[in-house]
Amino acid sequence: MADKPDFKQTMNLPQTDFPMRAGLSEREPHMLRLWDEMDIYKRSLDVNAGGPTFILHDGPPYANGHIHMGTAFNKVFKDLVVKYKTMRGYQAPYVPGWDCHGQPIEHQVERNLGPERMKTISRTELRALCREYALEFVDVQRAEFQRLGVRGDFGDPYLTLNHEYEAGNVRIFKTMYDRGMIHKGAKPIHWCVRCKTALAEAEIEYSDELSDSIYVKFEFTSRPEAFAQVSEPVSVVIWTTTPWTLPANVAVTLAEKADYVGVRVGGDVLVMAEALVTSVAAAAGWVGYEVLPQRVKGSELAGLKYRQPVHDGVEGVIITGEHVELTTGSGAVHTAPGHGEEDYLVGRRFGLPMPMPVDDEGRFDAGGGPFAGMQVWEANPTIIEWLRERGTLVAAGTISHSYPHCWRCKRPVIFRATEQWFVSMDEAAQGVRPLREGAMDAIGKVEWIPGWSVNRMSAMVGDRPDWCISRQRAWGVPIPVFTCRTCGETVANDSTFDAVIALWEVEGADSWFIREPSEYLPAGTACPRCGGTDLKAEQDILDVWWESGVSHTSVLEARPELRRPADMYLEGSDQHRGWFQSGLLTSVGAYDEPPFRSVLTHGFIVDGEGRKMSKSLGNVVSPIDVVAKSGADIIRLWACSADYSQDVSVSGEILDRTSEAYRRIRNTFRFLLSNLYDYDPADAVPFDEMYELDRYAMVSLADLVDRVTAAYDEWRFHMVYRHLYDYCVVDLSSFYLDVLKDRLYADEAAGHGRRSAQTVLAAMLGAMVRLVAPVLTFTSEEIWLSMPEALREGAASVQLSGWPTVDVPAADAARLRAAYATVLAAREEVTKALELARSAGVVGKSQEARVVLVAPQDTITVLRERGGRELADMFIVSEVVLVVGEAPASAPAAVTVEPAAGSKCPRCWNHRTDIGADAACPDLCGRCARVVSAL
RNA sequence: GGGCCCGUAGCUCAGCUGGUUAGAGCGCACGGCUGAUAACCGUGAGGUCGAUGGUUCGAAUCCAUCCGGGCCCA
């Protein structure tokens, strides 16, 4: 067989080193090094020096353990926002932070030490170990966040254990204290009488415990009206499993709307919930009893008095509350505000006293009356016996139920009121606006994204009780006040606060536990009550939410590159309760304004079924695994593709789909790159001189830029993804780029047609790489570095290259959009007809076809205006015949397909009738002959 | 139990203030191409819009209840 000329050599086939296979997990670390070398963070600030600033303030994750999908998602989102803003011309510093104090770290350190060593260690030593532990995980998480491509000041992050940070706590405390928003009070907390310590909820282990279960009658001293006529004494019956709390009883709580009845039994009339009479009777073993006909609502009994069960001559009061259940007990709840959370809350609502007769070791003091000196657990049987003797015990038994235990000693814990510090929601000094009012007002000034977020925030701030900010622990920032050793008075004023600020700025909060107050307080600091000068530093520490809350001062105010208020806080929806609120309250408390201009909230990461991820369900997806297997850009693309305003699912299938989408996007870029290997912007064809199809492509590119930019600006990131992806698939791959291949490959390399196309491809590449850069941070940079130097416009990184604009004349754009809507609709009919012809064996590839298209006049006119050759190119067929006629009702045109006339050009593979027209190239079509001859 | 929120094809999402046979892409099936090739192109099949009531001439869109799920409280 004769040698066929190798026409491939004469064509402009794609060339690129940009690999189809990403190999992200290997490639990404190289990119990180490159950014490190060029100091990308600093350059991202320098590039917009003097421009407007955008401050996204990082909420500090807890420095404990590795990152999980939720933290990864959150950080990627922040990075996306920061990078977008940078590219839009804002100076967008990003200072990552970590929350380093708190019970979980202290708890873990204590576990690691073990109980024996723990006993021998000082508070200062324990704090040093906690610090070490926290810093270790700061390093771990820092590396993990950076691996995700997050750009920020990782060399100098903010840590809540830094000295300046610690001092910031005092600045806010000082202001709020001065403004009368901070007060001392009492509140029940979990307390272990053996370890003599307060316990956090996380330090409580619940297990079944056998408790006493007793019913006790409290005799009314003011008889209910309904029972005025009965001759017997009338009492209310309560049920409790903690007899030892009876000395602290001050009230009985009834259900407001429930029916209560009197039961005549054994010479008494006992009042209880009607619904529970049978069960009380069973517990008491009553054989004969009579339910009186009178029925009263709980609310009707409210306000009546009864004899306190332990203390003679003392009365308690009947109140109503929502927590009263009618499933167990008697429907009348013994209420001791010092010994229970609900009792405490209802007690506060009714202004009840809060007696607390139990000391640190669990012994009754004088307030225990006859039981003074007894330990509460020992007292239980004694109390029961005592009640029996008094004749007030209605029934006694035992019950097995879930009860809290101390994680250290495994003993049951008690609930006990202790002295605590509070931020008042509704009280403040004269002339100062109360915090709740100010905070509600501030909420209205903030942009909440998504909109429902404001409801959640308002509801929480509107309802919340005073904020208890003290914790009885070691690892944290002390409450910066003093107590007079002589009289117990609190000593705190501007000069003591300032002294503490000065001390902590230099030595940190550790100094609090090392130095004596006299060493750093101004000489002459004395108790305002007794004049004593022997002062003791407060031992309680601040709630960690307070600590992270004051970052608006410790970070935003302290760092020159930042400012308060921030433009945005961006966290998961749980932070309505946490950081959003602690930031808001401390900021309003100190400055009367919110710390943020906007708050963006995202949902939680759940599995493919919408369930939370947990080890026990076995559905946990680790970002570290995904990075190792697929790359950080896959996580980033996934994060961007989901609607964050609700919970976000992740699963193997979802990540597979994401990877497929990634490959599609990557390949689109690869195609663009591979057809620009010989293009120089100097070859650019002006818009007006472009092929019409290319002008239309420019219009659709401009539309894409508009849509994507709007999506970013509206914080609808999943629409960024969707627009970009659909553009790649629908506009480019299946239409424009497919059509362009013939021109790019077969036209003369430097000819007008090919340069016109390349001008568009270059515009697409330059715009798209920027549009995806905030999301696909690694891939976009890889693309950037693969672009011809001249297209990079001098930017060392795509992150520094600014935001794309594509200008097309508006009138042209409108005309082209309309015309090409018709073209594309017709094209759809053509592809359907081609498919039928293909399955009938009439044609194989579309170039082998000649199509006859019948459509109404106006359609035909539009199609004809494009030009016959151009239309055939756009349909990727060899010839189009346009006929005016009736189109079917369901379609814009009727299309029939026939084999193309002429024969296949061996160079461009089109079927042409002008093969051999040029004698010099007898095999080729006219176009190819012309191109080849010119070589 | 309370507050806030979610539930549209296997997956990710559109469906504005209620109005013709609920859309897109992916995946899948089938086919084409072999000059984007561990790519690319085409066609097609997939949904009782969580369920049930209600309002309305008309509801995926409004209301109620229920079921399932999430966050935060209790």
Side-chain angles (χ1 to χ4, degrees):
Chain A
M1 192 167 174
D3 284 359
K4 267 196 167 177
D6 188 1
F7 293 116
K8 212 162 170 169
Q9 303 287 341
T10 72
M11 300 183 75
N12 323 299
L13 295 178
Q15 299 174 21
T16 180
D17 292 331
F18 187 81
M20 177 178 284
R21 302 250 309 145
L24 289 176
S25 39
E26 289 87 48
R27 202 182 304 275
E28 287 171 346
H30 294 288
M31 202 60 78
L32 288 170
R33 235 166 287 139
L34 199 75
W35 285 330
D36 214 35
E37 282 161 18
M38 71 166 83
D39 200 357
I40 188 74
Y41 175 65
K42 183 172 181 301
R43 292 181 70 165
S44 76
L45 299 178
D46 292 347
V47 72
N48 294 322
T53 55
F54 184 88
I55 309 297
L56 172 65
H57 182 34
D58 189 38
Y62 198 65
N64 189 11
H66 290 263
I67 65 168
H68 53 76
M69 217 30 142
T71 40
F73 181 87
N74 174 260
K75 272 293 196 288
V76 163
F77 249 64
K78 288 169 174 165
D79 189 52
L80 202 149
V81 169
V82 168
K83 283 179 176 157
Y84 171 65
K85 288 295 179 181
T86 297
M87 294 182 73
R88 290 306 302 273
Y90 290 85
Q91 248 197 326
Y94 179 63
V95 178
W98 274 275
D99 196 355
C100 301
H101 287 136
Q103 185 276 138
I105 288 175
E106 189 178 336
H107 185 68
Q108 192 55 49
V109 167
E110 186 175 344
R111 287 178 93 101
N112 295 349
L113 281 173
E116 292 311 310
R117 277 207 61 200
M118 187 63 195
K119 278 179 201 154
T120 67
I121 210 163
S122 73
R123 189 166 194 167
T124 308
E125 288 168 310
L126 179 63
R127 284 174 61 91
L129 290 171
C130 289
R131 162 181 285 267
E132 205 175 288
Y133 184 94
L135 292 178
E136 181 191 327
F137 279 103
V138 166
D139 283 342
V140 165
Q141 294 188 2
R142 173 179 11 223
E144 291 168 347
F145 286 143
Q146 287 185 284
R147 180 60 188 80
L148 289 170
V150 178
R151 184 187 77 197
D153 199 353
F154 281 98
D156 186 18
Y158 79 84
L159 307 179
T160 58
L161 52 64
N162 286 158
H163 295 173
E164 322 82 71
Y165 197 105
E166 292 180 329
N169 287 288
V170 190
R171 290 180 211 284
I172 299 297
F173 194 97
K174 172 189 172 186
T175 310
M176 291 178 69
Y177 190 86
D178 283 351
R179 305 179 91 200
M181 292 173 167
I182 294 179
H183 71 272
K184 237 175 173 176
K187 181 178 191 283
I189 54 169
H190 287 293
W191 184 272
C192 177
V193 301
R194 184 167 181 278
C195 305
K196 283 195 276 182
T197 180
L199 294 172
E201 187 58 42
E203 296 174 304
I204 301 292
E205 295 173 356
Y206 288 87
S207 59
D208 280 351
E209 174 84 12
L210 197 63
S211 294
D212 296 304
S213 165
I214 61 171
Y215 292 83
V216 185
K217 62 181 182 192
F218 297 176
E219 189 182 343
F220 283 105
T221 53
S222 46
R223 186 174 276 237
E225 222 174 280
F227 305 111
Q229 305 307 319
V230 303
S231 52
E232 298 91 339
V234 181
S235 303
V236 62
V237 174
I238 63 91
W239 173 69
T240 183
T241 57
T242 50
W244 64 269
T245 59
L246 288 172
N249 172 277
V250 297
V252 168
T253 311
L254 306 182
E256 192 174 350
K257 291 175 186 154
D259 288 317
Y260 287 82
V261 294
V263 177
R264 176 174 283 140
V265 60
D268 275 310
V269 168
L270 304 179
V271 176
M272 64 194 77
E274 182 175 24
L276 288 159
V277 171
T278 324
S279 75
V280 174
W286 295 333
V287 280
Y289 63 92
E290 177 197 352
V291 180
L292 300 180
Q294 295 91 331
R295 219 183 243 130
V296 285
K297 296 288 181 195
S299 54
E300 296 173 55
L301 298 170
L304 298 176
K305 300 288 174 60
Y306 62 86
R307 265 188 242 293
Q308 211 283 344
V310 173
H311 305 293
D312 289 334
V314 178
E315 288 187 323
V317 64
I318 305 287
I319 58 176
T320 57
E322 286 163 2
H323 63 284
V324 178
E325 290 184 4
L326 296 172
T327 51
T328 48
S330 61
V333 175
H334 148 56
T335 301
H339 291 306
E341 178 76 19
E342 282 171 337
D343 292 11
Y344 164 75
L345 291 173
V346 74
R348 279 176 41 91
R349 190 170 325 129
F350 286 88
L352 302 177
M354 196 188 331
M356 225 303 298
V358 178
D359 70 10
D360 284 5
E361 295 178 24
R363 287 186 189 284
F364 283 114
D365 59 19
F371 315 108
M374 295 186 80
Q375 211 267 353
V376 295
W377 304 123
E378 299 163 7
N380 274 340
T382 312
I383 293 173
I384 294 171
E385 223 24 66
W386 186 85
L387 293 170
R388 196 191 307 279
E389 282 165 18
R390 283 202 137 196
T392 55
L393 187 72
V394 174
T398 54
I399 184 177
S400 174
H401 62 162
S402 170
Y403 193 85
H405 293 72
C406 171
W407 74 277
R408 290 192 190 87
C409 68
K410 314 297 177 193
R411 306 284 174 91
V413 303
I414 64 172
F415 227 61
R416 173 176 176 268
T418 53
E419 194 165 74
Q420 303 289 343
W421 287 89
F422 293 87
V423 168
S424 303
M425 292 304 295
D426 302 301
E427 276 165 40
Q430 190 86 44
V432 175
R433 194 175 191 196
L435 187 52
R436 194 186 311 276
E437 215 181 296
M440 293 302 284
D441 202 39
I443 288 169
K445 295 176 181 156
V446 173
E447 184 192 1
W448 300 88
I449 308 155
W452 53 257
S453 168
V454 70
N455 301 340
R456 184 160 176 178
M457 200 68 207
S458 307
M460 277 182 165
V461 172
D463 285 347
R464 69 159 299 150
D466 283 354
W467 178 11
C468 178
I469 55 171
S470 50
R471 296 291 124 91
Q472 292 68 50
R473 310 222 54 99
W475 182 227
V477 169
I479 299 210
V481 304
F482 304 87
T483 324
C484 173
R485 279 206 163 96
T486 314
C487 73
E489 178 77 352
T490 297
V491 180
N493 56 51
D494 282 0
S495 72
T496 66
F497 286 129
D498 289 342
V500 175
I501 291 168
L503 175 71
W504 289 7
E505 275 180 340
V506 179
E507 301 183 19
D510 281 333
S511 56
W512 187 262
F513 302 103
I514 298 166
R515 294 179 176 279
E516 275 301 310
S518 57
E519 295 177 50
Y520 53 85
L521 287 182
T525 303
C527 170
R529 186 158 74 186
C530 73
T533 54
D534 186 8
L535 305 182
K536 179 174 183 283
E538 169 69 52
Q539 292 300 293
D540 284 3
I541 61 169
L542 283 161
D543 177 13
V544 285
W545 285 115
W546 167 287
E547 273 195 64
S548 56
V550 303
S551 64
H552 49 68
T553 296
S554 283
V555 180
L556 295 179
E557 286 280 327
R559 290 227 179 194
E561 74 272 35
L562 305 178
R563 68 168 145 74
R564 182 183 62 78
D567 289 291
M568 175 174 277
Y569 278 30
L570 190 168
E571 306 295 334
S573 63
D574 56 332
Q575 298 305 324
H576 285 91
R577 183 73 192 178
W579 195 53
F580 297 155
Q581 196 171 149
S582 66
L584 180 76
L585 295 180
T586 50
S587 177
V588 172
Y591 308 113
D592 289 321
E593 61 179 29
F596 32 64
R597 292 187 177 137
S598 68
V599 171
L600 189 150
T601 317
H602 59 251
F604 266 62
I605 309 305
V606 293
D607 73 7
E609 266 71 55
R611 268 166 236 279
K612 72 168 103 183
M613 297 201 288
S614 74
K615 275 185 192 153
S616 57
L617 282 174
N619 58 357
V620 176
V621 180
S622 159
I624 297 163
D625 294 345
V626 178
V627 165
K629 179 171 170 258
S630 312
D633 266 359
I634 300 303
I635 290 189
R636 297 178 68 102
L637 191 60
W638 158 75
C640 179
S641 70
D643 177 0
Y644 64 83
S645 71
Q646 43 191 297
D647 288 338
V648 175
S649 285
V650 68
S651 66
E653 180 181 3
I654 291 168
L655 289 170
D656 284 349
R657 290 294 96 82
T658 307
S659 295
E660 280 156 10
Y662 170 83
R663 265 184 256 128
R664 184 54 171 254
I665 294 167
R666 184 180 177 90
N667 257 316
T668 304
F669 276 108
R670 182 167 181 269
F671 184 86
L672 297 178
L673 286 168
S674 67
N675 284 290
L676 289 166
Y677 62 90
D678 65 336
Y679 175 76
D680 188 284
D683 301 328
V685 174
F687 183 82
D688 291 339
E689 295 168 26
M690 283 178 179
Y691 276 31
E692 187 192 74
L693 174 64
D694 299 341
R695 293 209 299 276
Y696 171 67
M698 289 300 288
V699 170
S700 66
L701 177 65
D703 290 345
L704 172 76
V705 172
D706 287 349
R707 277 198 302 271
V708 170
T709 305
Y712 272 114
D713 285 338
E714 292 161 9
W715 314 108
R716 286 158 54 87
F717 303 122
H718 68 287
M719 296 314 290
V720 168
Y721 163 82
R722 184 132 303 275
H723 288 140
L724 272 164
Y725 183 65
D726 284 354
Y727 181 74
C728 285
V729 173
V730 180
D731 293 301
L732 297 189
S733 197
S734 74
F735 176 54
Y736 184 64
L737 298 183
D738 206 25
V739 170
L740 227 49
K741 285 171 193 167
D742 178 73
R743 201 178 345 144
L744 287 168
Y745 301 167
D747 271 18
E748 49 273 68
H752 177 70
R754 185 157 177 273
R755 291 304 187 214
S756 173
Q758 284 181 312
T759 304
V760 178
L761 297 188
M764 286 173 171
L765 181 60
M768 288 169 63
V769 71
R770 287 171 168 95
L771 297 180
V772 297
V775 184
L776 297 178
T777 196
F778 291 101
T779 304
S780 61
E781 196 75 306
E782 186 190 348
I783 293 164
W784 190 255
L785 298 177
S786 300
M787 282 164 55
E789 179 83 41
L791 291 178
R792 284 184 249 163
E793 299 167 18
S797 161
V798 66
Q799 297 176 30
L800 309 174
S801 70
W803 202 243
T805 50
V806 176
D807 291 319
V808 291
D812 288 352
R815 198 161 359 96
L816 287 166
R817 277 189 209 102
Y820 278 77
T822 302
V823 171
L824 288 167
R827 190 175 191 265
E828 219 174 296
E829 295 311 308
V830 170
T831 56
K832 278 180 189 152
L834 282 168
E835 185 63 24
L836 286 174
R838 216 170 350 242
S839 42
V842 179
V843 292
K845 53 195 286 190
S846 59
Q847 287 100 318
E848 294 165 12
R850 165 189 201 260
V851 298
V852 179
L853 189 145
V854 182
Q857 179 67 60
D858 49 349
T859 302
I860 296 298
T861 305
V862 171
L863 295 179
R864 220 164 244 154
E865 280 170 356
R866 304 307 130 215
R869 176 78 268 139
E870 286 75 6
L871 204 56
D873 285 348
M874 287 193 276
F875 294 168
I876 318 184
V877 296
S878 287
E879 190 185 354
V880 179
V881 179
L882 298 173
V883 179
V884 175
E886 291 278 308
S890 58
V895 177
T896 51
V897 175
E898 322 166 345
S903 50
K904 179 178 172 180
C905 169
R907 181 168 179 274
C908 70
W909 299 349
N910 286 304
H911 283 245
R912 290 289 124 97
T913 51
D914 62 350
I915 304 278
D918 184 338
C921 306
D923 298 330
L924 299 182
C925 71
R927 183 265 310 263
C928 286
R930 199 172 60 249
V931 172
V932 170
S933 306
L935 286 173

